[in-house]
Structure formats: C-alpha cells, structure tokens
Amino acid sequence: MTAPTSASPPEDLGLVRFHLVAALVWMLVGMTAGTFLGYRLTGPESAELGAGIEWLTYGRMRMFHTHAVIFGWLSNGFFAFAYYAVPKLTGRSLLWRPLAAVNGWLVQIALLLGAFALVSGQAEKVEYAEAPWWADVLFALTFVIALVISVGTIITSSVKSMYVSLWYIILGFIFTALNFVMANTLVAHVVPGAAGAALEGLWIHNAVGLWVTPMGVAIVYYLLPVILKKPIASHKLSLLGFWTLAVIYPLGGSHHFFFSPMPWWLQVVAMPLTAALIFVVYSVVYNFFATMKGQWRELAPNISLRFLTFGIFNYIVTCTQGPFHSLLSVQKVVHFTDWIVAHAHLALFGVFSWWLYAFIYWIWPRISGRQFSRALSEWHFWLTFISFWILYYIPDTVAGLMQGFFWLSGAPLVDSLDAAQPFWVSRAVSGVLLVAAAVIFVINMARGQKGATAHV
Amino acid sequence: MSNADSKVERPLFVALFAGVGCFLLSFVAMGLAPWTTLSSGLEAPPGMKDPYHDENGELTAAGRGRKIYMSEACWHCHSQFVRPVANEPWRYGPKSEAWEAMFDVPNTYGTRRIGPDLAREAGRRTDDWHYAHLLDPRSTVPRSVMPPYPWLFDRGPDGKPVPGEKAKDLVAYLQSLGSAFKQQVEDQVYPREIRVTGSPVPSDLLKERGAELYASHCVGCHGESHDGVGRAADFLKPSAANLNTRYLPRAEVYRVLYQGVRGSAMPSYHDMGERQLWALAQYVSDLGQPVRAAARVDRADVLARGREVYTKRCASCHGEFGEVPQAMLNMRPAPKDLRTRLYDTDYLIGVVRMGRPGTGMVPTMGLSAEEEKDLAAYVRSMFKENVHDR
C-alpha cells in the first residue's frame, strides 16, 4: 500500500464542490452568529442589541451558532473530504453517486429545518443536538446515507489493507451515527437526571472526539504525504494513535460533569482515562512531525501546509489542556467558565477548521481551476492566526480564570462579569476580524484567476 | 509500509471493532452502568412525586415552564447543579443530590455558567422579582447581560406588560428548583444572624463607594432619584422603598442589606462583604438626613392621642412598643420594627390610608385627619437612633 497519489480521478468533484460551498455558507453564517453572541456579553448595554427580537435572542443564537459550525460547516466539509478521499484511496468511484447528489441537498434541508427549530423556540435540551426530533430524523437519515455511500464504498472495494485516513473515516461515520441516534433518543426522551447527564457527556464528548477528531486527523493523514510527496513516517504509530482514540477516548465523557451528582466512581474513572489521551494525541502528532522532518521550509510557500501545521500546533495545546482539566483542583476553578469556551474554540476552530481550510486550499484549485491570490491567502492566514490567538484564545482563557476565581472568592456574581468583560471585548473584536478573514477566504476562492495549475 | 495484509486494517474489522465495538463499550461503561446504579439505591424523600405532570399526565405549570427553559436555552448560561467544591454550597446552598433530578428528562444540569446556578432557586426570590428580571433583566440586576424575554408577557389594560401564561409557567418552574431544600436555602439567603466586626468612621470616600455600589446593584428597583420608582417598579409588590421618605441609621441599613427582606424583592447582599456594605449603608442612610433633620418633639397630648390609636389599630402587628411580636415575624414580608427607622409624616399618613400592597399592611379605615396626624407623630416618636447598639 502506498500513500495517496493523484492518478486518474474516479472521484466526483461536483459532489465535493457542492458540500464545500454549503460548508462555506454555514461557516459565514455561523461565525457571524458567534460574533454577535460575543458582542452581546461585552456589557449591560450591548446585551440590549436586538433585544426583544425573539429569534435573535442569546440562548437561541447560541444553539444556532454551534448547530451551524459543527453540523453546517465542519460536517459538510467532512462529507466533502470523505467523498473526495474515499474514491482516491480505494481506486473506485462512490456507490450510488446520484443518491449522494440528492443526499447533499437533503443534508442542507435537514440543517435548515434544525436551524429554523432552534431560532423559532422549539429546541430540546441535548447540548449540541438541540434540534427537535423531526429535524433529527432527517439529519440522521442523511448522515446514514452518507455513511453507507462512503463506508460502503470502502467495505465493498477490493482494498484489503486500507490507508490510515480510511480507518478514521470508517470510525468517525459509524461511531457518530450510533452516538447521534443515542443522544436524540435516550438522552432527549428517556433517561432522567444524572444518568441522562452521563449519556449526554458521552454524546458531547464524542461528537468532538469521534466525529470531528477522526475526520480532521484523516485530512491530515491524507494531505501531509500528498503535499510533501513522501509516506507517513511510522505505520505503527498511526495504528497506535487510531486504536487508542477508538478505545480510550470515548470513555472520558463524564469529565464534562465533574462534581455533579453523577456516581462518583464514574467521575474518578474519567480522570485517568482523560489523562491517557496524552498518548492518543502525542503519538499522532509525533508521526506528523516526523513526516515533516526536513521539509519545514515548505510552510512558507504553501498555505495549505501552513494551516495544516499550525492546526497541529493548536492540536497539541488543546489536547494537552484536556488532561490538565481532568485534575480536580483545576476543574474546581475552570469548570463552567470561559476557559472551557476558549478551549473548545481552540479545538473546533484552531484545529479542525484550520485543517479543513488546509483541505480547501489544496482541493479548490483542482475543482475550480482557479488559482488563489497569494496576497489574499496571506491575509486570510495571518488575520486568522493573530486575531484568534491574541484576541480570542488568550483573553478568553484569562476571562475564564477571572470568572473562576471571582466565583471562588464569594464576591457577588455580577462582579465576575465585570472582571471578564475587558477580555470579552477583545473576543468580540476578534470575532469581527475572523469573519473578515473568512470573507477574504471566500472572495479568494470565488475570484481567483483561472489558470492551469495552482501554486498552493 | 509493512503489515500490508494485516487483519486489523481490513475495512470490516475496523467498522465492527472500532466503530460499533468501541461505541458499545463506552455506552455500556459510561452510560448503562451509571444508569443502572442510579435507578436503584437512590433515596428520595418519601412522597416525592413528579413536579412536572399532574395525576392525569398533563403538564403542570412547572412542567410547561421547564419546556420554555429548555427551548430558550436558559441552560446555556445557567447551570443546575451545586458542586460540593469552590465555595458553591456557601454561595448557592446544599450540594445537588442525584434524586433531585429523577424526573428531569432530559437533564438540565448544563455545562456553562454566565449567570448564577439555578438549582437552588426555591426560597431565594419572589415571583415579582422574577417577572421584573425576565422582562427587563437590568431592572433588578443593573449589570446583568441577560437578554430580555418580552414575548413571555401580555399587555395589560393600561398598555403595560403583565406576566403572560408563559412567564407564569417559567417562574413556577424556577420556583420549583430545589424545593426540597427551600427552607434551608431561604435561611441561608436571608440570614437570621448578622455578622459584623465593626463599623468604619463615616467618610466621603466611603460614601463615594456607596454611590457606585448603589448604581450597580440598587438603582433598578429604588430608582435614579432614590424614590423607589426604578425600571422594575411596575412589577414589584410591595414596591421598592422610597429612600427619600425615611431615615435609617447606618446600622439599620446594614442590617437590611445583610438580611434582605423575606417576602419582598429586596435580596440579601451579605456576599458583598462588610466594607462594601458599610459604604452602601452610609450612602443610603445619608439620603434620609433631611427627614432626620426635620424631626421634632411633638406635644405630649398629641403623642398620647396617637398612642391610643396605635394601640388599637397597629400594635397587634407592630408590637406594643415597636418590637414586632414573634408570631408576626413569619409574615412575608414581616411588619416593620418602627423603632428602627424614622419615616416622614406624609409617607406615614399615605401608608395608613392606602396600606402597602403586597404586604399585610392594609389601609387603616375610619381615622379622622387629626387622628392620622397624631398617629404619625406617635410612630415617629417610637424611633430610636441607636436601637441596634443594645
């Protein structure tokens, strides 16, 4: 077995393009909603912006934001990647291509239904899956169709030994289909209280860990060898990273409810299991960096590789934070605070969105025949990098510490808002800049010169 | 690469063992196992029943309110479990127990706090406070960043918003949270004992700080001009005190701030800390200086006549000598101890005539204008500047 090559294309670029365009629309809407939310928290006066407009109220927009970026942006992007990578890596075209095309629209309809339900006040309480059952059913259906098409293509292919990316695609799709259905049935309608929270912990933990993570890692495993034109450094390490992710990662879900009335043994068990994630992550990261060895200079000319690599840096930071959070002394302070919000954005934006950017920078010229403008690409990268780290991640982490320690001090609760607000102002500014960067990115995609080959 | 035909890399193996197998493993270990241990071995107080459904399985007000709580995503900013750490029992009340949520499907624990935890709302605030806060959050908490919820309200005959069905349901739900610990929470939120180590010498600096604190905590109800007509005024019964019509010595203001007023929207601010409380106490106390300056000693016959009216009409609640009888202290809100504050005459006559809606103080009928004046004079004479110094 070899690393992926760009031989004759059995892949359906139209399908990839469709999901990418949809992803970008959801990304712009979702990021704008996030910025709006960020602004709303910056002070008592800003909380009044658009106040009284039912559909734009904070709680509903908050659900819309996560719905749009997790399902609209990332998931559409991952569908696009799967539909591209699976034919490439199995050497055959997708099963039921016409169904995949129809399903593409069905996905968007399901997402729109969900979004409508959230903003019109029909949400149910399952974090990150707040859409009610009638929107869930359609989304679950479209997800399973995408699963059958991509995983089915792999399983029925003659490939006996798969490239790493395919393992992750299989894992992500199957685990998540089961997890999504579990959350929207058992958590939403059956299991009460603390037991329900345990299952909800399983869902929210693995929506990130066993959907976004494996699909993101699959992108890196695909792009690194292709861009660097050499195989992944260690096959054994990729096996280790994969199986530890599949076995250990899902078991830490209850760490989202430390110190809750959940059974104490469950919380105690979650601590070492969360700490063990260090191995999951570092094995993968080591493998990536070992592959990069000797070719770091290519970060400069190659925007795709740069987003990929800086995403890996962020991956190290966010995944080192995770085990750190599982220390109960740390939990005590940071739980419920913006520290966690910053951490979540580092993962979902700083890591997985950047890896998806990397994929788009790599694939788009091949789809559209357009060449990216160098200047706009640099603007996108640096504006994203600087405003995320300097204006979002660090200040919001500090805001979380402020909240945590103010709560601990016993001071009136509103004092914790005062303490966090300077940092929240910074976060709101970063939102504006990140949306601007995203707009630059989209303009760059739409307006690039038609040319034979792309330079990125 | 080696291992080209290794079994563990075959598609079906990965799908079954990694995809399905690892999901089932985590589902059983982290989901089913706690579910089974939690459904046995839970000890709920006897007689605890589903607060969200009546005998016919219809949703109760609290049940309908819970749906609003979920669909408005209140839980994205308000968690619903008190952790046994990080001073939370001190701030909110007893730590959360598993059985408290046994009827919550889905659970509403939440993972985030911007506003306070709500697991211990029962016994904490009045319905009025909640209505004012839901319609205009900054009316009750001037620095709040909570969004307003006008669509939970209807328009009253005068065009002003009044709580609609939805607002009532939501407040019923909020008031049901932690109801098993209601008394404990009330005693914690409105402490019976006051802790004070001393009082600072009055100063301009202190008063300045007091003004700041007034603007960030009090202005919503008591108003910019301290007349008790703040943004929340429409909802509050009893209305917020008009601070221009009474003089309270610093120690009495401190006491009210520390203990709050059970049964009114006046919360306790004891978590503000002693120095801040004294600053605020000085600021508020100084507002009443004009009333104090106008105090005079009335003629003995006026006071004697006033006393006669008082004994007949007021003493059963306010106490013969101003010391409120023990039984009356359980009223919500309790009658005022008239030794602790000096009201201005017009205010007293107003309250005697109109009563104080939202309290047990009803209009005192059948008094002549002369008797009202005598009564007011007598009540004013009951005030003792240093009653707390005992």
Side-chain angles (χ1 to χ4, degrees):
Chain A
M1 191 191 67
T2 55
T5 55
S6 331
S8 63
E11 71 277 6
D12 185 342
L13 286 180
L15 193 58
V16 176
R17 180 198 178 98
F18 176 86
H19 277 290
L20 284 185
V21 171
L24 290 164
V25 172
W26 283 106
M27 174 194 76
L28 288 177
V29 179
M31 286 173 82
T32 307
T35 303
F36 187 50
L37 291 173
Y39 173 75
R40 283 258 183 92
L41 291 181
T42 55
E45 301 81 20
S46 20
E48 297 285 350
L49 180 76
I53 304 175
E54 213 175 321
W55 290 41
L56 296 183
T57 196
Y58 187 94
R60 298 187 192 182
M61 285 312 270
R62 155 74 212 246
M63 297 186 286
F64 175 80
H65 169 64
T66 50
H67 177 79
V69 295
I70 296 175
F71 295 104
W73 153 240
L74 290 176
S75 299
N76 261 313
F78 294 152
F79 288 158
F81 170 71
Y83 290 155
Y84 179 77
V86 166
K88 277 284 191 191
L89 295 172
T90 55
R92 63 193 294 237
S93 51
L94 291 173
L95 296 177
W96 305 300
R97 274 161 68 163
L99 178 63
V102 175
N103 195 48
W105 281 104
L106 286 179
V107 169
Q108 312 318 318
I109 292 170
L111 291 172
L112 281 173
L113 265 183
F116 165 77
L118 298 180
V119 295
S120 63
Q122 303 174 67
E124 64 187 22
K125 197 263 155 197
V126 181
E127 193 167 1
Y128 303 141
E130 293 97 344
W133 66 269
W134 41 269
D136 292 336
V137 168
L138 187 59
F139 186 78
L141 181 74
T142 59
F143 192 90
V144 169
I145 292 175
L147 180 158
V148 169
I149 290 169
S150 39
V151 177
T153 305
I154 303 171
I155 291 181
T156 57
S157 73
S158 52
V159 170
K160 283 233 178 65
S161 172
M162 301 177 292
Y163 183 65
V164 194
S165 294
L166 292 182
W167 311 344
Y168 280 105
I169 290 175
I170 294 176
L171 172 65
F173 267 107
I174 293 183
F175 196 107
T176 305
L178 295 168
N179 196 19
F180 184 85
V181 173
M182 185 282 292
N184 285 292
T185 51
L186 288 184
V187 178
H189 304 289
V190 180
V191 188
L199 285 169
E200 191 186 24
L202 190 70
W203 152 247
I204 53 183
H205 184 60
N206 293 314
V208 178
L210 270 298
W211 172 237
V212 178
T213 301
M215 296 308 276
V217 171
I219 292 180
V220 184
Y221 269 117
Y222 186 92
L223 286 187
L224 267 190
V226 167
I227 293 174
L228 300 175
K229 300 190 176 63
K230 68 196 256 198
I232 281 288
S234 163
H235 187 69
K236 288 213 173 84
L237 267 183
S238 41
L239 269 170
L240 178 71
F242 175 80
W243 283 101
T244 48
L245 177 77
V247 178
I248 299 176
Y249 191 99
L251 298 174
S254 54
H255 69 207
H256 292 255
F257 295 98
F258 271 140
F259 293 120
S260 77
M262 242 183 231
W264 185 240
W265 65 262
L266 193 65
Q267 306 184 34
V268 172
V269 168
M271 278 182 264
L273 286 172
T274 308
L277 296 186
I278 286 282
F279 300 106
V280 179
V281 175
Y282 281 49
S283 59
V284 170
V285 166
Y286 180 85
N287 212 2
F288 290 162
F289 284 169
T291 310
M292 294 279 297
K293 199 175 170 192
Q295 282 172 279
W296 287 92
R297 73 179 75 82
E298 293 186 30
L299 286 189
N302 193 318
I303 292 284
S304 181
L305 187 64
R306 212 189 298 163
F307 266 117
L308 214 55
T309 313
F310 279 79
I312 297 172
F313 286 136
N314 289 346
Y315 191 55
I316 297 174
V317 177
T318 194
C319 294
T320 308
Q321 272 191 319
F324 177 64
H325 296 163
S326 71
L327 303 173
L328 290 180
S329 52
V330 177
Q331 255 312 290
K332 217 162 64 175
V333 180
V334 302
H335 194 69
F336 293 128
T337 71
D338 264 83
W339 173 294
I340 305 299
V341 177
H343 168 69
H345 281 81
L346 184 61
L348 290 176
F349 183 72
V351 181
F352 302 108
S353 296
W354 291 15
W355 287 350
L356 204 46
Y357 285 156
F359 175 61
I360 296 173
Y361 271 110
W362 188 79
I363 192 77
W364 191 250
R366 289 162 175 80
I367 291 179
S368 65
R370 287 178 192 277
Q371 218 174 317
F372 282 113
S373 140
R374 177 89 214 167
L376 290 183
S377 305
E378 293 292 343
W379 268 102
H380 177 215
F381 177 81
W382 288 108
L383 202 52
T384 300
F385 178 70
I386 292 174
S387 42
F388 180 68
W389 263 91
I390 310 291
L391 297 176
Y392 191 118
Y393 179 70
I394 294 172
D396 207 31
T397 299
V398 177
L401 289 175
M402 287 298 205
Q403 287 178 298
F405 284 117
F406 265 77
W407 295 342
L408 208 57
S409 78
L413 194 101
V414 281
D415 288 359
S416 69
L417 294 177
D418 277 1
Q421 260 148 4
F423 306 98
W424 284 348
V425 169
S426 166
R427 176 172 68 174
V429 172
S430 87
V432 175
L433 296 177
L434 289 173
V435 170
V439 169
I440 290 173
F441 177 43
V442 171
I443 290 175
N444 199 9
M445 288 174 69
R447 302 287 303 274
Q449 273 189 334
K450 288 268 186 191
T453 51
H455 75 264
V456 286
Chain B
M1 289 175 206
S2 56
N3 302 354
D5 272 330
S6 149
K7 239 195 204 136
V8 296
E9 291 167 46
R10 292 209 178 133
L12 212 51
F13 184 88
V14 171
L16 290 180
F17 282 83
V20 179
C22 290
F23 174 78
L24 288 179
L25 172 68
S26 60
F27 177 70
V28 170
M30 310 316 269
L32 279 192
W35 191 6
T36 45
T37 54
L38 278 168
S39 20
S40 56
L42 286 181
E43 282 190 40
M48 181 171 169
K49 41 175 208 190
D50 184 352
Y52 309 125
H53 297 90
D54 61 19
E55 304 78 48
N56 308 320
E58 298 287 317
L59 282 177
T60 58
R64 292 190 300 272
R66 202 176 104 90
K67 289 195 97 148
I68 298 171
Y69 184 87
M70 294 193 285
S71 64
E72 295 295 353
C74 303
W75 51 275
H76 264 305
C77 296
H78 296 283
S79 57
Q80 252 184 49
F81 65 94
V82 179
R83 304 184 297 168
V85 293
N87 281 341
E88 287 183 18
W90 186 84
R91 183 188 290 280
Y92 296 110
K95 77 177 173 69
S96 291
E97 302 293 342
W99 52 261
E100 288 185 82
M102 62 197 283
F103 296 105
D104 291 5
V105 182
N107 80 85
T108 41
Y109 283 157
T111 54
R112 176 90 177 93
R113 261 181 213 159
I114 295 177
D117 187 273
L118 298 182
R120 295 282 172 261
E121 275 304 294
R124 184 172 296 271
R125 314 213 181 256
T126 59
D127 290 358
D128 292 356
W129 187 94
H130 280 297
Y131 292 135
H133 189 57
L134 286 169
L135 179 69
D136 180 3
R138 277 150 294 285
S139 71
T140 50
V141 185
R143 284 181 292 158
S144 164
V145 289
M146 186 170 117
Y149 293 91
W151 54 92
L152 304 179
F153 290 77
D154 296 336
R155 294 246 159 242
D158 53 358
K160 285 185 174 169
V162 292
E165 283 308 312
K166 287 181 173 174
K168 288 179 185 161
D169 290 344
L170 182 53
V171 171
Y173 171 64
L174 294 172
Q175 296 287 25
S176 79
L177 293 173
S179 46
F181 296 93
K182 183 171 180 176
Q183 194 55 51
Q184 224 172 319
V185 169
E186 192 184 62
D187 288 341
Q188 183 172 336
V189 175
Y190 303 93
R192 292 185 195 276
E193 301 288 319
I194 300 179
R195 237 202 49 211
V196 57
T197 52
S199 63
V201 179
S203 69
D204 288 348
L205 209 57
L206 210 57
K207 192 172 173 180
E208 220 172 278
R209 178 69 185 136
E212 278 172 24
L213 290 167
Y214 182 88
S216 72
H217 291 282
C218 320
V219 71
C221 297
H222 291 283
E224 305 251 359
S225 45
H226 319 106
D227 54 2
V229 190
R231 287 161 72 165
D234 286 345
F235 287 100
L236 303 186
K237 269 186 191 149
S239 58
N242 178 341
L243 301 172
N244 301 322
T245 58
R246 67 203 63 193
Y247 165 69
L248 281 71
R250 278 203 312 166
E252 172 65 2
V253 182
Y254 186 98
R255 186 197 66 75
V256 176
L257 290 170
Y258 196 94
Q259 294 191 306
V261 181
R262 295 187 190 211
S264 89
M266 174 72 193
S268 155
Y269 289 97
H270 66 274
D271 57 356
M272 208 184 256
E274 226 175 278
R275 287 183 63 200
Q276 321 265 7
L277 284 180
W278 280 117
L280 193 46
Q282 185 187 340
Y283 178 78
V284 173
S285 180
D286 282 358
L287 294 171
Q289 287 301 346
V291 177
R292 184 190 190 203
R296 58 173 198 278
V297 180
D298 288 283
R299 290 202 323 271
D301 59 323
V302 172
L303 296 180
R305 286 202 301 275
R307 168 147 196 211
E308 212 169 299
V309 180
Y310 179 87
T311 311
K312 256 192 270 171
R313 309 298 295 268
C314 317
S316 60
C317 292
H318 288 282
E320 186 65 39
F321 303 101
E323 190 159 352
V324 179
Q326 204 58 38
M328 293 300 155
L329 289 176
N330 292 327
M331 290 180 72
R332 298 279 186 277
K336 290 284 182 263
D337 180 336
L338 297 170
R339 297 167 306 170
T340 58
R341 59 222 22 235
L342 180 64
Y343 292 105
D344 97 359
T345 307
D346 291 344
Y347 174 79
L348 281 174
I349 292 176
V351 171
V352 166
R353 281 189 193 154
M354 316 294 286
R356 193 90 163 84
T359 74
M361 176 77 200
V362 291
T364 311
M365 314 295 265
L367 294 185
S368 70
E370 211 49 42
E371 283 173 315
E372 284 172 356
K373 269 192 194 153
D374 297 344
L375 176 58
Y378 178 69
V379 168
R380 285 162 58 86
S381 78
M382 295 168 81
F383 169 68
K384 294 184 182 57
E385 177 85 45
N386 296 322
V387 72
H388 285 299
D389 290 355
R390 281 169 292 163

